[in-house]
């Protein structure tokens, strides 16, 4: 089969043509449309501003009317109290009650303002603590990723995890062959060669059965030694530098600071 023919080349797009010059009639029409639009916009803003001024004026008049009505109601009530027997005492008590009510309102407003300020401060402290906890968690995770865990370090130090060395195997083989050559009926404690073979096979099976447990005990001993070393380093750092720079990952900085305060209180 013949290969397919290449697609035809697309023609280049035509170059943009410059706009034709406007005639005098079209230019005049455009200027008129622009002027009418600006005039409509000015008229709309005039209406909006007039409505705003009217609304402000009405609100001021309403507040003045409310104050006047409240004052007239107070005056009428005081007149009615004065008309009663011992009216001057009732008027004095009424004035004291109004002053106490006004003081209570001012106190409630002041307490609300103080509560809002305390709330803002408390929210800021909580956000700061949350940010500090996030930074501490990030630093701990980063430090833990960079450092080796005690299990890894103990596994590296464990001799059972190291590769078998040919030299050590040859030395062990030479020791076994040397002991085999030195064997005699006297060193065999009166046992025959077959009995010694059975005894050696039994001890070898016992060794194989306890090898796994022995390896685990060695690994656990190395792990406990590493953890003990970390605790000793933490205590020495705490004694040398104080509780301001604790070792990350062993305990909380908050607990260390609390323990430091308790210790200082006991000493004092």
């Amino acid at each position: 089969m013949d290969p397919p023919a290449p697609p035809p080349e697309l023609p280049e797009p035509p170059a943009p043509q410059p706009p034709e010059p406007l005639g005098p009639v079209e230019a005049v029409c455009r200027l008129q449309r622009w002027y009418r639009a600006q005039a409509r916009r000015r008229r709309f803003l005039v209406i909006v501003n007039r409505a705003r001024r009217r609304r402000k004026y009405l609100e001021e008049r309403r507040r003045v009317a409310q104050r006047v009505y409240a004052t007239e109601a107070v005056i009428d009530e005081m007149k009615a109290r004065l008309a009663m027997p011992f009216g001057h005492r009732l008027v004095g008590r009424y004035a004291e009650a109004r002053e106490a009510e006004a003081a209570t309102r001012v106190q409630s407003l002041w307490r609300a303002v103080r509560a809002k300020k305390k709330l803002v401060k408390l929210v800021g402290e909580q956000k700061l603590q949350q940010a500090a906890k996030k930074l501490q968690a990030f630093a701990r995770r980063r430090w833990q990723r960079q450092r080796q865990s005690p299990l890894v370090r103990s596994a590296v130090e464990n001799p059972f995890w190291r590769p078998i060395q040919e030299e050590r195997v040859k030395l062990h083989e030479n020791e076994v062959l040397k002991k085999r050559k030195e064997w005699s009926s006297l060193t065999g404690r009166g046992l025959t060669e077959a009995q010694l073979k059975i005894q050696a096979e039994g001890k070898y099976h016992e060794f194989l059965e306890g090898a796994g447990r022995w390896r685990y005990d060695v690994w656990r001993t190395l792990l406990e030694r590493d953890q003990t070393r970390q605790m000793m380093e933490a205590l020495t750092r705490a004694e040398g530098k104080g509780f301001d720079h604790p070792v990350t990952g062993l305990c909380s900085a908050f607990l260390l600071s609390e323990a430091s305060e308790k210790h200082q209180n006991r000493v004092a």
Side-chain angles (χ1 to χ4, degrees):
M1 293 179 63
D2 296 334
E9 296 181 0
L10 298 175
E12 296 182 359
Q17 299 294 332
E20 298 181 359
L22 300 176
V25 178
E26 190 174 355
V28 170
C29 291
R30 287 195 176 185
L31 287 173
Q32 289 178 355
R33 285 196 296 269
W34 175 80
Y35 179 77
R36 289 169 184 167
Q38 293 295 326
R40 285 195 300 270
R41 184 174 180 274
R42 284 194 296 269
R43 287 195 299 270
F44 176 73
L45 291 177
V46 167
I47 294 171
V48 172
N49 292 329
R50 188 180 299 166
R52 290 176 59 189
R53 288 194 297 269
R54 181 67 178 174
R55 182 178 180 182
K56 184 177 180 181
Y57 172 74
L58 292 176
E59 288 180 356
E60 290 178 357
R61 292 293 300 273
R62 189 180 296 109
R63 285 196 293 268
V64 171
Q66 289 176 356
R67 288 198 295 270
V68 170
Y69 176 76
T71 306
E72 290 179 354
V74 171
I75 292 172
D76 293 340
E77 188 173 357
M78 292 178 68
K79 287 181 179 179
R81 290 177 182 270
L82 285 172
M84 296 179 182
F86 302 101
H88 62 283
R89 296 181 182 178
L90 298 176
V91 171
R93 292 175 184 174
Y94 178 72
E96 291 177 358
R98 284 180 61 82
E99 290 179 359
E101 185 180 358
T104 304
R105 289 182 181 179
V106 172
Q107 290 177 359
S108 62
L109 291 174
W110 174 244
R111 288 170 184 167
V113 171
R114 290 185 61 187
K116 288 181 180 179
K117 290 183 179 180
K118 288 183 180 179
L119 179 62
V120 171
K121 187 176 180 181
L122 180 61
V123 171
E125 291 178 355
Q126 289 179 354
K127 289 183 179 179
L128 184 62
Q129 291 178 1
Q130 291 177 0
K133 288 180 180 179
K134 288 182 180 179
L135 290 175
Q136 289 176 358
F138 172 75
R140 288 192 182 98
R141 289 195 300 269
R142 184 180 179 86
W143 181 74
Q144 288 177 359
R145 284 197 299 266
Q146 291 178 355
R147 67 184 290 271
Q148 288 184 347
S149 64
L151 288 173
V152 175
R153 287 198 298 270
S154 60
V156 171
E157 295 178 1
N158 192 355
F160 294 104
W161 288 82
R162 297 175 185 174
I164 299 175
Q165 298 178 0
E166 188 177 357
E167 297 178 356
R168 293 182 62 187
V169 174
K170 288 184 178 180
L171 289 175
H172 186 65
E173 183 183 3
N174 293 332
E175 290 179 0
V176 172
L177 293 175
K178 183 178 179 181
K179 290 180 180 180
R180 176 68 180 83
K181 290 178 181 179
E182 292 176 356
W183 179 84
S184 63
S185 59
L186 297 176
T187 58
R189 298 178 183 178
L191 299 176
T192 61
E193 185 176 357
Q195 292 176 348
L196 288 174
K197 186 175 181 181
I198 294 172
Q199 186 179 3
E201 289 180 355
K203 289 184 178 181
Y204 182 69
H205 285 300
E206 291 179 0
F207 170 75
L208 290 180
E209 290 176 358
R213 182 65 183 178
W214 188 22
R215 293 178 181 178
Y216 175 76
D217 292 339
V218 171
W219 190 9
R220 185 174 180 180
T221 303
L222 293 173
L223 177 61
E224 292 177 354
R225 186 184 68 177
D226 194 3
Q227 292 176 349
T228 305
R229 188 188 298 115
Q230 283 188 354
M231 293 179 184
M232 293 176 65
E233 289 178 358
L235 293 173
T236 53
R237 290 183 185 180
E239 292 175 359
K241 298 183 180 180
F243 292 91
D244 298 332
H245 303 283
V247 181
T248 311
L250 293 178
C251 57
S252 175
F254 177 77
L255 296 178
L256 284 177
S257 61
E258 186 179 1
S260 176
E261 292 177 359
K262 289 182 178 179
H263 177 69
Q264 292 176 1
N265 295 332
R266 292 195 195 96
V267 171

